[in-house]
Amino acid sequence: NAGVTQTPKFQVLKTGQSMTLQCAQDMNHEYMSWYRQDPGMGLRLIHYSVGAGITDQGEVPNGYNVSRSTTEDFPLRLLSAAPSQTSVYFCASSYIRGSYKMNTEAFFGQGTRLTVV
Amino acid sequence: DQQVKQNSPSLSVQEGRISILNCDYTNSMFDYFLWYKKYPAEGPTFLISISSIKDKNEDGRFTVFLNKSAKHLSLHIVPSQPGDSAVYFCAATPTLGRLYFGRGTQLTVWP
């Protein structure tokens, strides 16, 4: 059971480059989200999705795009990388609360450590 | 404006004793609360949760207490073990699985 899989695990980008962080889950979860973790800042929500074709912004969406064409995949795109985007990125998935499925805790991937130079 | 606050960045406890991690929240719409544990170079993992209709939830060595009037929750670990050393995040949600996280507390359990 793979759970939430993120690729790559590490990445170094030059300022201005673009890239896509991949996230896939095999638990048929409706809800998926992207967080970034910075020292002393906890986990901050970038974008989230409540199902295929539906996305919305979180607390820190600037500089990032997402799409959700399938239930399983939720890629995060950096349009033009900046040093301020150096961070550890986590993808998470969960069932939507209020559905008949009782588990509501989010399952996290292992993270992608991104450095922008 | 941080809606979930963990005011203690670190906590050091001797093995066998109780660890108490605290969390405060400001949004009265939050009705479900969770604790996550995170080891270095790994993703956070779910530890325990509590609904706002309860004031206590217990799972083995871990107990979460919720005081709605004070908008405060705490995680108790008894007895603490060295393997419990990790960063603990408090999280809260009003709806639809969107989680608001605190900044985390680094717990160190020493022998």
Side-chain angles (χ1 to χ4, degrees), chain B residues 19-93:
Chain B
S19 295
I20 300 176
L21 295 90
N22 293 304
C23 178
D24 298 294
Y25 62 96
T26 58
N27 189 337
S28 58
M29 298 300 291
F30 289 152
D31 63 356
Y32 194 73
F33 305 88
L34 308 92
W35 284 94
Y36 283 82
K37 179 178 179 179
K38 184 181 180 306
Y39 292 118
E42 294 184 8
T45 54
F46 170 74
L47 190 57
I48 192 170
S49 63
I50 187 168
S51 165
S52 61
I53 63 173
K54 296 184 175 181
D55 54 18
K56 176 182 176 181
N57 188 27
E58 199 169 350
D59 184 2
R61 296 186 297 113
F62 302 92
T63 302
V64 56
F65 295 92
L66 176 63
N67 182 334
K68 289 186 291 295
S69 61
K71 293 190 175 66
H72 177 81
L73 65 156
S74 60
L75 174 68
H76 293 211
I77 306 173
V78 184
S80 301
Q81 300 173 354
D84 295 329
S85 296
V87 177
Y88 289 78
F89 289 102
C90 172
T93 176

